[in-house]
Amino acid sequence: FEQAAPAVVNITTVALRRDIYRRDVLTIPAGTGSGFVWDREGNVVTNYHVIREGDAARVTLSDGSTYNAKLVGSAIDKDIAVLHIDAPKDKLVALTRGTSTDLRVGQETHAIGNPFGLDHTLSTGVVSGLGREIQSLAGRPIFDVIQTDAAINPGNSGGPLLDSRGRLIGMNTAIYSPSGASAGIGFAVPVDTIDRIVPQLIEHGKIVRPGLGIQFDPEITRRAKVKGVLVLNVVPGSPAEEAGIRPTVREKDSGRVVLGDVIVGIDGEPVTSQNDMFKLLDRKEVGDKVELQLQRGNEKVEVTVTLEALDDEEPHR
């Protein structure tokens, strides 16, 4: 705790509101959460949901000094955000980062955060489960989430989950609780995901996402009673178009809807839903080649697609 606590910060968000009588702009507290120092350049990592309701944020370090924070970038579908503060380097202590690939159920965990505004509170527990899946604010799944029974409460969000050597293994993100307080089931975004996302946010302000260049709708896929991902549209000039992937079309003469290709596999691994596709593509990098297994009417087809960089805000993959 003594080693890691100086890297843990308190984040306070404020909303800007105009006084209807004086026309003055007022700052109103919007919420609090936790975060941790990423590097000595002043980058601080937290959950996106900690800062989403605020128009501005302030970061308080362990010594009590407070700094105005600027949003560097956010990944809504991973619930990760990076803030920047102009603090002296000698005040910034970064956490030692571990890995989440070799975690085991039963392993010791330590959570540090600011539950209910009580700064630098330590709770301990174990890894209760691995490979969990939770939904992000964007509606997309966050994969390989760590489950822990270390007490996680409101205000812990964005704080670090550590192993017994004080190394970062995850970021506390959500709890399962009928009452709103800790019920012994907390979830943390794994450090391997954070390690992949945060450098992109610092450099680009967003995730550089590998994608196919297709548009789809899970509800339409469900109504069409197909198993996989039904391609509705193919983005012009995209790798999907170059590979000859067929979209869903309506015939001009008859008005009959002809279903497009259905993605049923990627590199030989089955795709039964959009979540399967997200999980498989999230392992890839821009420029990677993937083999898509398609159901085209009654025919099975395989095509090779080179993944392109997609804007994080675009509604397609």
Side-chain angles (χ1 to χ4, degrees):
F1 174 80
E2 291 173 354
Q3 172 188 315
V8 182
V9 304
N10 180 278
I11 298 173
T12 305
T13 57
V14 295
L16 304 180
R17 298 291 182 267
R18 188 175 292 278
D19 187 314
I20 61 173
Y21 299 107
R22 293 180 169 184
R23 312 303 294 172
D24 294 334
V25 176
L26 306 176
T27 58
I28 301 171
T32 62
S34 305
F36 53 91
V37 176
W38 182 258
D39 55 32
R40 298 188 71 195
E41 303 305 313
N43 292 306
V44 172
V45 176
T46 186
N47 283 140
Y48 171 75
H49 78 258
V50 168
I51 54 102
R52 69 168 175 152
E53 298 293 343
D55 298 305
R58 298 189 181 106
V59 172
T60 302
L61 301 180
S62 60
D63 65 358
S65 58
T66 300
Y67 300 87
N68 291 326
K70 180 181 72 173
L71 179 63
V72 174
S74 59
I76 301 174
D77 62 334
K78 300 298 181 186
D79 203 6
I80 298 173
V82 177
L83 304 174
H84 185 270
I85 57 173
D86 290 320
K89 288 188 176 184
D90 59 1
K91 286 193 172 190
L92 297 173
V93 179
L95 286 172
T96 300
R97 298 196 287 275
T99 178
S100 49
T101 54
D102 57 358
L103 292 178
R104 300 175 67 182
V105 173
Q107 191 172 329
E108 224 176 271
T109 58
H110 304 272
I112 304 177
N114 307 290
F116 304 110
L118 302 171
D119 65 293
H120 289 82
T121 295
L122 173 71
S123 58
T124 64
V126 297
V127 174
S128 304
L130 295 168
R132 302 303 193 212
E133 185 178 304
I134 61 174
Q135 291 296 111
S136 69
L137 293 172
R140 289 175 177 168
I142 306 175
F143 301 107
D144 299 323
V145 170
I146 304 164
Q147 181 185 333
T148 179
D149 67 348
I152 308 294
N153 285 291
N156 270 113
S157 289
L161 186 69
L162 310 170
D163 64 12
S164 58
R165 292 174 59 185
R167 297 175 301 186
L168 179 71
I169 56 172
M171 176 169 59
N172 301 314
T173 295
I175 58 173
Y176 174 78
S177 171
S179 67
S182 176
I185 301 178
F187 299 103
V189 177
V191 68
D192 289 356
T193 298
I194 299 169
D195 259 336
R196 191 176 76 251
I197 299 297
V198 168
Q200 292 188 45
L201 296 181
I202 293 173
E203 184 175 353
H204 305 291
K206 61 182 181 181
I207 299 178
V208 180
R209 183 185 305 284
L212 304 168
I214 64 170
Q215 293 179 326
F216 60 92
D217 185 321
E219 180 58 25
I220 294 176
T221 299
R222 186 186 65 80
R223 291 206 305 258
K225 296 181 180 179
V226 298
K227 184 175 286 188
V229 175
L230 172 65
V231 178
L232 294 183
N233 293 304
V234 174
V235 178
S238 68
E241 184 182 58
E242 293 176 9
I245 294 177
R246 297 180 183 177
T248 298
V249 295
R250 184 182 295 274
E251 292 181 340
K252 291 182 179 179
D253 296 335
S254 65
R256 185 174 67 93
V257 173
V258 179
L259 297 182
D261 290 339
V262 179
I263 299 172
V264 295
I266 297 177
D267 288 339
E269 297 193 55
V271 171
T272 60
S273 67
Q274 64 166 1
N275 284 1
D276 290 341
M277 184 176 70
F278 284 145
K279 190 169 188 176
L280 292 170
L281 290 181
D282 279 349
R283 301 174 186 170
K284 305 296 183 179
E285 302 289 339
V286 172
D288 285 353
K289 292 184 184 296
V290 296
E291 299 292 329
L292 295 186
Q293 287 75 49
L294 307 173
Q295 185 70 45
R296 181 174 292 170
N298 296 322
E299 186 183 3
K300 288 278 180 68
V301 178
E302 185 164 291
V303 298
T304 302
V305 179
T306 302
L307 300 179
E308 68 173 356
L310 294 181
D311 190 306
D312 190 38
E313 302 302 320
E314 291 183 21
H316 51 262
R317 281 303 293 238

